[in-house]
Structures are given as structure tokens and as C-alpha cells.
């Protein structure tokens, strides 16, 4: 009976707080309280004080790290999925994950201490980085606002479930709803005001002078609205008509402290090592750089991975001539970045040439999973024996019909290779020679993504018959 009363009371308050489902009311970009005014920070009732005490105790004693990580991931995914302009942008998605994670850790720290009001939580520097990235993409301020409104809705989906399941009295549950609405609304308003200022300052910088022309011209080439090679070359002071190779530079999630000012000097060093004669650099976000370069010949340049510092990654497209090649090599570099970010290898440099086939298979993650699991059935384990047999299979496929060459590659006796091949074929249930190409492709996917990563299929790509874009 008590539970029923509590749930009814909570539902009543929730319906007052936001009358259209879980979507909170907004006023000029600000989130309103129930009365339509700024969220109050005045006198608190006894139940309000008890609710705050209960919440601090729960965070300190009951909230597990696993629960927190799941919650943060859900909020970040909801934010990204609800803003179409950002759903496929790797730089923005990475900055979004970092911003959400850092901001919630700051909020939890203040909540645990109980010494400062929640609305005074400082905006995380990663959140400012996200605002910079959105500005550098040429996106409107409403995109930033939409992101955080989507985040607020995601938080409230969690709040409704959390409060209903909380082990406390009906009165405290109702007060928890009111308290969390007021506090999260105030935090959101404070963050949006500060981040809007960061966005506006960056947009003013971008729209000034030669930098603005370069950014706009590159954007017009990539979206297809600029098709004149001659005009683009003049506007960029860069020979678009030549053979271009695109690079994408970015930092990993674990290297957020790296100063983004290192990117252009690094790009210059990489270009010199590849004998490039011309280079064009455009910031892709707070932690990324897009690069095009022209080398002395039309061959694919070699990027020296030894020049890439820890925490920085580089993706490389295939060379392409003219304005169409300028676009294509960039698309390929972005695709190589996507594969590198999802993969388990952690290489400093990933070329599209090396991951082209895997990227095509990975465009249908559900189909790729089925393919790998079917072809490598019996060799899919994380144990030492399965790993050894996969390495042997790779060597045998690299030297068809030549066990001696495979043995030299593995540094074992050729009879050992023969024995392992018997084990492999027993596990597979068929001769290697009958499925050689399929097995090689499956190994490429497995080596790139690993047994755990390849089963992570985006929800929006499940059950669709067409190829993903």
C-alpha cells in the first residue's frame, strides 16, 4: 500500500514537472522550474534536508562504479543519437563522451561533499572542448543547446526509474523528485550559459579573415557545393588539382591532457617525412586536425609512425587527384579513423589501404559478426591455444601449400605446422583450402576488432537489409 501511494505521488509530481512526457519545459533556451521562474534556492523544508542527506549517503555508500559508468554511457548515447547532425561524427562523439564523463564526476564530487550548492559546479574543460568542436564544424548554437536538452531528458528517464526503486519513504521520494528537478535544471542552465559564450567566441574567431575563408572553402568542397578546382585552389592557396593524400589526427580518450597546439607542427613533420611539397591543415575540433598534402610523386606516401607521440593517432586515406580526389581521400581517412577507434590494435598510424575490406564488412556490423563467428567457429576463444591456432592459420593462408614457409614465419618445425593444421580443420569442421578467402577475411576482422568488440552492434543498424552509409 505504501509503495502504491509513493508511486502515485511521484507520478503526480512528475506530471506537474513536465507535462509532455519526459520533455522539460524551456524558456528562451533555459529550463524552467514548475512555477515558470528560475529554480528557487531559498528556505528548505525538513523533508528537503532529509532528501539531500539520503542522496549523499546513497552516492557515498551504494552507487557502484559499474552503475555510474552505465549511466554515463546511456546519457552520452542518448545525447548523440538525438542530434542527427552529430550521430556519425567521430570527433564530436569522442568529445561528447569525455564531456559527459568529466561533468558527472564533478557533479558527484560536489554532491558527496555537501559543502557547495550543486548549481555552483564548474563546467568541465572537456565540455568547453565540445563547444569548440561544434563551433569549428560550422554548426549552429541550437545544436549545442539540443545536445544538452537531450541529456537532460536522458537524466530524467533515469531519475523516474531511480526514485521509484529507491528504498525510502514516500515523502522522501516525492522530495527527491522535486530536489533533483530543481538542481539538474539549475546546473543545465548554468552550463548552457557558459558554453554558449565559449561557442560564440570561437565562432567569431572562425569568421574572421583568411581563417574563415579556408574553413568555409574546405566545408564547401566536402559537402559538394564547391566543384571548381581552380577556384578552390586559389581560395585555399593550395594545389587542389594535384594528387592529394588526407590525414586525420586525433587524441585518444586517455590522452585528453595533450595540448591541441601540437597538431599542426606534428602534421608538418609527418608531411616532411613523406616528402610532401604542399600541406593544408584545418582544425576538426578541440582535439583533432584534418590534413591534406601533396607529395613529389603520385604514389601513396609512407607515414613515419615513430614520429607520432603517445596518445595521438593518425588515419590516412588513399591518394586522389583533383577536387573529387580531395573529397574521396578525406572520406577514406575518416573511415580509417572509425575503424582504428573501434579496433583493439591501438596502432599510431592506420591506413585506409590496410582496413579497406574490413571497413566494408564493418558497415554491416550484424552481418560481419555472423560471418566471423561462422568462419572461425572453434577458433573464437581468448585462450592461448585458440590464439596459437589463429596465428598458424594466418601463416598458412599467407603461404598457400607451403608448410615450410609458414613454419619459418612462425619459427617452428614444419611438422608442428602440419599438426596444428589438423587441429584447425578439426575445429572448423572443413578443409582450410575450401574456405581460404573467407577465412582470411574473417581473420582480418577478428584481428582488427577482437572477440568482444565485434559483437557491439549499433542498435540502429540491427535488422536492416540495406548497407549502412
Amino acid at each position: 500500500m505504501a509503495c502504491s501511494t509513493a508511486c502515485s505521488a511521484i507520478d503526480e509530481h512528475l506530471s506537474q514537472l513536465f507535462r509532455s512526457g519526459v520533455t522539460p519545459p524551456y524558456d528562451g533556451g533555459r529550463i524552467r522550474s514548475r512555477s515558470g521562474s528560475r529554480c528557487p534556492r531559498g528556505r528548505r523544508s525538513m523533508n528537503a534536508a532529509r532528501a539531500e542527506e539520503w542522496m549523499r549517503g546513497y552516492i557515498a555508500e551504494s552507487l557502484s562504479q559499474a552503475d555510474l559508468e552505465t549511466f554515463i554511457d546511456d546519457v552520452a548515447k542518448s545525447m548523440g543519437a538525438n542530434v542527427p547532425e552529430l550521430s556519425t561524427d567521430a570527433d564530436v562523439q569522442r568529445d561528447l563522451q569525455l564531456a559527459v564523463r568529466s561533468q558527472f564526476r564533478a557533479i558527484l564530487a560536489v554532491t558527496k561533499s555537501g559543502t557547495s550548492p550543486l548549481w555552483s559546479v564548474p563546467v568541465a574543460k572537456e565540455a568547453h572542448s565540445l563547444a569548440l568542436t561544434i563551433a569549428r564544424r560550422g554548426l549552429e548554437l541550437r545544436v549545442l543547446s539540443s545536445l544538452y536538452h537531450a541529456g537532460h531528458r536522458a537524466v530524467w528517464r533515469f531519475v523516474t526509474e531511480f526514485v521509484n526503486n529507491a528504498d525510502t519513504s514516500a515523502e522522501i521520494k516525492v522530495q527527491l523528485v522535486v530536489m533533483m528537478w530543481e538542481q539538474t535544471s539549475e546546473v543545465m542552465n548554468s552550463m548552457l550559459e557558459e558554453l554558449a559564450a565559449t561557442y560564440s567566441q570561437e565562432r567569431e574567431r572562425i569568421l574572421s579573415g583568411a581563417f574563415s575563408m579556408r574553413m568555409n572553402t574546405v566545408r564547401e568542397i566536402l559537402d559538394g557545393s564547391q566543384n571548381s578546382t581552380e577556384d578552390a585552389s586559389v581560395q585555399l592557396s593550395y594545389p587542389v588539382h594535384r594528387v592529394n593524400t588526407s590525414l586525420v589526427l586525433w587524441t585518444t580518450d586517455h590522452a585528453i591532457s595533450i595540448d591541441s597546439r601540437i597538431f599542426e607542427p606534428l602534421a608538418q613533420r609527418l608531411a616532411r617525412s613523406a616528402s610532401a611539397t604542399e600541406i593544408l591543415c584545418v582544425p576538426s575540433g578541440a582535439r583533432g586536425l584534418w590534413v591534406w598534402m601533396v607529395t613529389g610523386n603520385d604514389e601513396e606516401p609512407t607515414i613515419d609512425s615513430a614520429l607520432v607521440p603517445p596518445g595521438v593517432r593518425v588515419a590516412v586515406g588513399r591518394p586522389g587527384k583533383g577536387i573529387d580526389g580531395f573529397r574521396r581521400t578525406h572520406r577514406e581517412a575518416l573511415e580509417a579513423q572509425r575503424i582504428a577507434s573501434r579496433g583493439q590494435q591501438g596502432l599510431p598510424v592506420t591506413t585506409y589501404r590496410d582496413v579497406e575490406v574490413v571497413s566494408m564488412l564493418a558497415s554491416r556490423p550484424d552481418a560481419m559478426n555472423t560471418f566471423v563467428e561462422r568462419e572461425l567457429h572453434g577458433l573464437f576463444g581468448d585462450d592461448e591455444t585458440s590464439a596459437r591456432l589463429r596465428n598458424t592459420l594466418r601463416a598458412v593462408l599467407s603461404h598457400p601449400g607451403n608448410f615450410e614457409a609458414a613454419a619459418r614465419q612462425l619459427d617452428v618445425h614444419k611438422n608442428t605446422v602440419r599438426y596444428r593444421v589438423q587441429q584447425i580443420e578439426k575445429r572448423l569442421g572443413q578443409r582450410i583450402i575450401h574456405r581460404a578467402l573467407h577465412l582470411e577475411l574473417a581473420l582480418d576482422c577478428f584481428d582488427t576488432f577482437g572477440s568482444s568488440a565485434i559483437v557491439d552492434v549499433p542498435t540502429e543498424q540491427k535488422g536492416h537489409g540495406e548497407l549502412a552509409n
Side-chain angles (χ1 to χ4, degrees), residues 238 245 247 249 263-281 291-296 301-304 307-308 314:
Y238 173 84
T245 300
L247 278 63
L249 281 64
F263 280 131
E264 288 208 29
L266 172 60
Q268 295 282 355
R269 291 196 298 274
L270 293 174
R272 284 196 298 270
S273 74
S275 301
T277 58
E278 304 282 349
I279 184 170
L280 171 68
C281 298
V291 180
W292 288 263
M293 62 183 185
V294 174
T295 57
T302 299
I303 303 302
D304 187 355
L307 295 175
V308 182
V314 180

Side-chain angles (χ1 to χ4, degrees), residues 31 46 51 66 103 119 122 136 158 164 200 223 255 290 308 328 335 357 395 411 425 439 446 469:
I31 302 169
M46 182 178 298
Q103 196 62 59
W119 51 267
R136 291 170 184 175
F158 167 80
N164 273 318
S200 298
D223 67 21
W290 291 345
V308 182
R328 186 178 64 254
E335 183 62 17
V357 174
D411 196 23
E425 293 182 339
L439 289 169
F446 187 94
N469 292 326

Side-chain angles (χ1 to χ4, degrees), residues 242-449:
R242 299 275 300 278
V243 175
N244 299 277
T245 300
S246 175
L247 278 63
V248 173
L249 281 64
W250 76 101
T251 59
T252 63
D253 292 352
H254 304 294
I256 60 175
S257 61
I258 290 180
D259 192 331
S260 60
R261 288 175 294 185
I262 74 165
F263 280 131
E264 288 208 29
L266 172 60
Q268 295 282 355
R269 291 196 298 274
L270 293 174
R272 284 196 298 270
S273 74
S275 301
T277 58
E278 304 282 349
I279 184 170
L280 171 68
C281 298
V282 175
S284 63
R287 297 186 181 87
L289 186 73
W290 291 345
V291 180
W292 288 263
M293 62 183 185
V294 174
T295 57
N297 53 59
D298 294 345
E299 296 179 1
E300 185 166 351
T302 299
I303 303 302
D304 187 355
S305 60
L307 295 175
V308 182
V312 176
R313 308 280 290 278
V314 180
V316 187
R318 303 290 295 270
K321 187 173 184 178
I323 203 162
D324 289 334
F326 186 97
R327 295 189 191 102
R328 186 178 64 254
T329 184
H330 180 65
R331 285 197 304 268
E332 292 174 349
L334 290 177
E335 183 62 17
Q337 179 194 27
R338 185 180 74 88
I339 297 299
S341 298
R342 281 187 57 195
Q344 64 173 2
Q345 295 175 320
L347 299 174
V349 177
T350 301
T351 66
Y352 184 71
R353 178 191 66 246
D354 291 338
V355 298
E356 184 172 12
V357 174
V358 171
S359 75
M360 288 188 287
L361 291 170
S363 67
R364 283 278 304 276
D366 50 346
M368 182 184 71
N369 290 350
T370 301
F371 172 72
V372 174
E373 290 171 359
R374 180 179 63 239
E375 296 300 329
L376 297 183
H377 177 70
L379 302 176
F380 216 58
D382 293 326
D383 57 287
E384 185 178 345
T385 299
S386 295
R388 184 167 58 247
L389 292 179
R390 287 194 300 270
N391 289 337
T392 301
L393 176 58
R394 168 69 75 186
V396 169
L397 290 170
S398 299
H399 305 281
N402 190 340
F403 284 3
E404 288 188 3
R408 284 195 298 272
Q409 179 177 325
L410 296 168
D411 196 23
V412 297
H413 194 276
K414 67 177 182 180
N415 288 340
T416 301
V417 174
R418 292 182 187 279
Y419 173 70
R420 290 181 186 175
V421 166
Q422 292 174 359
Q423 289 183 300
I424 291 168
E425 293 182 339
K426 183 177 180 180
R427 289 193 179 200
L428 295 177
Q430 60 185 337
R431 297 287 304 279
I432 292 174
I433 193 173
H434 293 160
R435 302 287 291 181
L437 177 59
H438 296 74
L439 289 169
E440 190 166 5
L441 291 175
L443 279 173
D444 284 341
C445 294
F446 187 94
D447 289 347
T448 301
F449 298 116

Side-chain angles (χ1 to χ4, degrees), residues 195-228:
L195 294 176
T198 297
Y199 169 93
S200 298
Q201 291 170 5
E202 183 66 9
R203 285 296 292 162
E204 289 178 9
R205 185 183 75 85
I206 289 172
L207 293 173
S208 62
F211 185 75
S212 172
M213 177 177 288
R214 185 173 62 186
M215 292 283 287
N216 288 335
T217 301
V218 167
R219 193 175 295 121
E220 289 170 357
I221 293 173
L222 295 180
D223 67 21
S225 58
Q226 171 60 279
N227 287 299
S228 170

